[in-house]
Amino acid sequence: MKIKATYFLDVISSWCYWAEPAWAELQERYAEQVEFDWKVALMDKTGLPTSREQHDWFYQRSGLMMESPFKLRSEWCDHTEAEFIAPNAVARAAAELGTKDDRVRLAIAHAALREGKRVGEWEMAAAIGAEAAGLAKKELLERAQSPAIEKQLREETAEWHALQVTQRPTFVFESEIGDKAVLSGFARAGALTATLDSMIADQKAYEIYAVHFGAAPA
């Protein structure tokens, strides 16, 4: 039996960017015990900065907290958008076209947060995503702009809202014995690995008990 791990993110979220090393560590450490997936939780006005000054302040604070040797760049954002569909849609579309790993969304996030590229623009997001995925830009852009992809993003975001949390990243761990853990706002691996270790140990105990005593009586 495997634990299911779902990572809710917005591609251009700085805290999700800071959490990526932890997510990569989980995938490597628990490759045989956990089934990994990611979903989009679109940020709205409540989670977006309203000015360049405010944006840079947030980046400086998170960079200091994460002990980063570099600063994030804010010029990718024009501070008028209520949400950023394009980068998230391109990442989801690439997954639908077969690139199910993290490379496309990581490439888009890097282009925005480290290089300042305006990934909120469809053409820019699609060009970066296509190069990362090895896909034709036209095909990727058409899929990303399809009603089906936006519908999926809205549904995934609604699923995140149903968790009644406020922070991205959010990690949801579910086991086959009914345990469920929701960790929202964590960007370091420690709390995540501790939770998974505990859930895996409990699930293994159930498996061992079943070997010795069988299924529960009706």
Side-chain angles (χ1 to χ4, degrees):
M1 296 189 290
K2 283 193 173 184
I3 305 291
K4 180 180 178 182
T6 305
Y7 170 23
F8 286 90
L9 59 96
D10 189 302
V11 170
I12 50 79
S13 163
S14 58
W15 276 112
C16 292
Y17 179 83
W18 296 126
E20 291 299 342
W23 181 243
E25 180 179 334
L26 296 186
Q27 292 182 84
E28 181 177 359
R29 180 170 176 174
Y30 300 101
E32 302 300 321
Q33 300 158 298
V34 178
E35 176 186 334
F36 294 95
D37 191 19
W38 60 269
K39 295 183 178 181
V40 169
L42 289 168
M43 292 197 297
D44 54 33
K45 284 185 177 180
T46 63
L48 293 170
T50 58
S51 68
R52 176 66 56 80
E53 182 181 19
Q54 186 186 67
H55 203 160
D56 288 337
W57 187 90
F58 285 137
Y59 280 179
Q60 288 164 356
R61 181 182 63 174
S62 66
L64 181 63
M65 292 175 67
M66 297 304 294
E67 301 178 326
S68 173
F70 55 82
K71 291 182 178 180
L72 300 183
R73 296 173 62 172
S74 62
E75 58 263 41
W76 64 269
C77 180
D78 61 14
H79 306 103
T80 61
E81 298 285 352
E83 60 184 1
F84 287 90
I85 292 289
N88 289 283
V90 167
R92 175 51 66 208
E96 295 296 313
L97 291 170
T99 309
K100 298 183 182 297
D101 57 24
D102 302 326
R103 80 184 90 157
V104 172
R105 58 180 186 77
L106 290 178
I108 295 172
H110 180 90
L113 302 175
R114 297 296 306 280
E115 299 175 355
K117 293 183 179 179
R118 290 187 170 269
V119 300
E121 300 172 2
W122 284 103
E123 290 289 332
M124 177 66 74
I128 296 165
E131 182 178 358
L135 295 169
K137 176 186 170 183
K138 181 180 179 181
E139 178 186 19
L140 179 59
L141 183 58
E142 288 178 353
R143 178 65 69 92
Q145 292 180 321
S146 69
I149 289 295
E150 181 168 354
K151 180 175 183 290
Q152 187 171 354
L153 296 185
R154 301 294 181 192
E155 290 175 347
E156 292 177 5
T157 302
E159 184 179 346
W160 177 80
H161 280 295
L163 296 171
Q164 298 186 338
V165 295
T166 60
Q167 302 299 316
R168 304 162 187 82
T170 293
F171 300 92
V172 180
F173 302 143
E174 300 171 274
S175 76
E176 294 186 27
I177 63 173
D179 294 340
K180 182 176 182 177
V182 180
L183 295 92
S184 182
F186 290 84
R188 292 184 173 87
L192 308 178
T193 58
T195 301
L196 282 175
D197 286 342
S198 178
M199 293 179 73
I200 290 169
D202 287 348
Q203 187 161 278
K204 185 175 181 180
Y206 270 62
E207 295 171 351
I208 292 172
Y209 190 91
V211 168
H212 289 275
F213 297 99

